[in-house]
Amino acid sequence: MRNGGQLLVECLVALGARKAFGVPGESYLAVLDALHDTHGKLDYVLCRQEGGASFMAAAFGKLTGQPGLCMVTRGPGATNAAIGVHTAMQDSVPMILFVGQVGTDMKGREAFQELDYRAVFGTMAKWAVEIDRIERIPEILARAWSTAISGRPGPVVVALPEDMLTSMTDAAPLRGPVEITEPHPDPAAMERLREMLAGAERPLILYGGCNWKGQGTRPIQRFAEASDIPVVSVFRYQDQFDNHSPSFCGEAGVGMMPHVKALIREADVILAINARFGENATDGYTLLDVPQPRQRLIHVHGSDREIGKVYCPELAIQSGPNAFAEALGALAPVKGRWGAWRAEGRVAYEAGFDLPDLPSPVDMGKVCAHLRATLPEDMIVTNGAGNFAIWSGRFLKFGPEARLLAPQSGAMGYGVPAAIAAKLVHPAKTVLCFAGDGDFQMTSQELASAAQAGAQPIILVLNNGIYGTIRAHQERNYPTRVSGTEMTANPDFAALARAYGFHGERVERTEDFAAAFERALASPTGAVLDLVISPEALTPRQTLSQMREGALAAGKGR
Ligand SMILES: Cc1ncc(C[n+]2csc(CCOP(=O)(O)OP(=O)(O)O)c2C)c(N)n1
Ligand SMILES: [Mg+2]
């Protein structure tokens, strides 16, 4: 006999769980008690705020392909954790959020901190469930795990009424991990796909999504290079294809580069692999017509619920990304006259790295050039949301070993917890977080979690004193009327870092960055570099004043 908390933890260990990120609550004491004895097998990573914990779980899922586990208490804990659930959903990342719940004897009375989690998370998560019979813990955990990792991966929320955890049962724990093979593409469909590509004037490969494993997109790269076809990543998945490949032409994301827009618009056949057609990848659903694109669309996805969701493909192939990549790599290359078109895209991509001097004490163009030259091939880069994210997103190159953990949800505050999770998974790798000053302050308390866990990344705070993204929108729409976007009382970020046991430094000039970064790399306690950035240098090619002047010239403002 064991209590429900022990049964749950034993099932998680059997499923292969290694880490759970959480903030404690009296609602799940029996789970915490069971975790007392699992050190080295399943570690509880203690966090300071549930938003940080759920971001860590979402990032863990993105990095490993295993569900990132998050454990939080009732109402207040669960609502704090919602940001990670939403982010995992938009990112198609496997995650399981466990939430304490009031006992079944008082449910429905609006008891202390009570929430209906199925209602709250019903439209946010892939699946939300409450366990109401202790013997069903193994069944529901197995289903939660498979649901999180299969098809289009996503977050599952499991509510745990207190008596489900404290009462005793002789139900047997799960015996082993859930292993799910991917659906494989139909050979006849692959033939048809090859014919469509071979008959194209300008074929384009668009890829995205998370669950790349093993060789990942390598077979796609072989086929694309042999066929001279350009490849574009959807928003924030540029790390999943070798950016050094002559086929790689950039990212279809926020502030999409004109040549990427042109590639998508001008393509006559688009092979979309493991991609979800989001607002950013389609430039607000304008690059392809809804629901019937002008381009002949081949959509490959592991989930039947993604195929045909927005666009009607001419050919739909339900297949896992890795199985599909293998099948594509095995096809004979196609030949056509689109090579010059691909080359133009690549030249434009490369030209994007050439920047003018920026009007800023620390010039991020030069900082990124230094980082491109010196960061190791197996770097893990993270960022949250803000204008600063353009530097990690567009001015680094991701080779086959590198990873980028960045939220498709545009959630500020993701970068720091994601970097901590990455450092826990890969302690020996260089993990570098890009944060804005606003973005950093959303989750900077997790520096304490990092110090406690001994997982201390390097964090660059791009400190411009403003909520820059919103300020830019403000200047374009309501020029000169600055409202609610200036942070005039930021802390001393280097001192704050030192208070948390990190190495902390303020960098005031571009020429001081390289030495400061050396010290950050050498620091055994991670580092926070506070980079002094001018608000004028908000984008690589347009200053804040130019945005304002442009808007005034266009007759905006009072
Ligand atoms: C959690 C959350 N809150 C608010 C926003 C809206 N938002 C998007 S970017 C941004 C400003 C980011 O400021 P900062 O981190 O300083 O970066 P900067 O744009 O200045 O480089 C805001 C408020 C968001 N995306 N996420
Ligand atoms: Mg800022």
Side-chain angles (χ1 to χ4, degrees), residues 55 83 385-389 409-413 435-440 442 462-471 487 538:
F55 275 147
I83 195 166
N387 263 46
F388 70 88
S409 67
M412 290 171 72
D437 50 339
D439 174 75
F440 180 70
M442 291 253 170
L462 279 67
N463 183 0
N464 57 11
I466 56 173
Y467 285 115
T469 301
I470 313 308
R471 174 69 184 275
M487 288 176 276
L538 200 53

Side-chain angles (χ1 to χ4, degrees), residues 510-522:
T510 307
E511 51 271 40
D512 296 336
F513 177 80
F517 194 67
E518 276 299 308
R519 288 188 288 275
L521 284 170

Side-chain angles (χ1 to χ4, degrees), residues 43 51 73 162 165 193 196 227 284-285 315 352 412 532:
D43 293 323
T73 199
E162 205 168 324
L165 300 177
L193 168 147
M196 282 174 73
S227 306
Y285 302 100
L315 176 62
M412 290 171 72
V532 181

Side-chain angles (χ1 to χ4, degrees), residues 4 24 67 112 183 258 263 310 322 327 365 377 385 398 402:
F112 182 54
L263 281 167
V310 184
N322 306 290
E377 275 297 314
F398 296 88

Side-chain angles (χ1 to χ4, degrees), residues 109-166:
R109 294 179 183 160
E110 198 182 343
F112 182 54
Q113 304 180 331
E114 183 179 354
L115 272 182
D116 177 347
Y117 300 103
R118 277 178 292 214
V120 171
F121 290 103
T123 57
M124 198 188 301
K126 189 173 174 189
W127 186 44
V129 62
E130 186 162 303
I131 299 183
D132 53 16
R133 286 187 66 90
I134 187 169
E135 312 78 59
R136 296 189 65 187
I137 287 177
E139 171 200 340
I140 291 182
L141 279 194
R143 179 164 165 199
W145 195 276
S146 337
T147 303
I149 60 177
S150 62
R152 174 183 166 195
V156 172
V157 177
V158 182
L160 307 166
E162 205 168 324
D163 48 323
M164 294 300 117
L165 300 177
T166 52

Side-chain angles (χ1 to χ4, degrees), residues 41 120 207 234 330 478 532:
K41 276 193 282 186
V120 171
Y207 75 91
V234 303
Y478 304 93
V532 181

Side-chain angles (χ1 to χ4, degrees), residues 81-116:
I83 195 166
V85 175
H86 179 248
T87 296
M89 191 68 219
Q90 292 235 302
D91 270 341
S92 312
V93 155
M95 170 179 171
I96 305 176
L97 173 69
F98 293 99
V99 190
Q101 170 65 306
V102 304
T104 50
D105 55 335
M106 55 176 81
K107 247 182 61 190
R109 294 179 183 160
E110 198 182 343
F112 182 54
Q113 304 180 331
E114 183 179 354
L115 272 182
D116 177 347

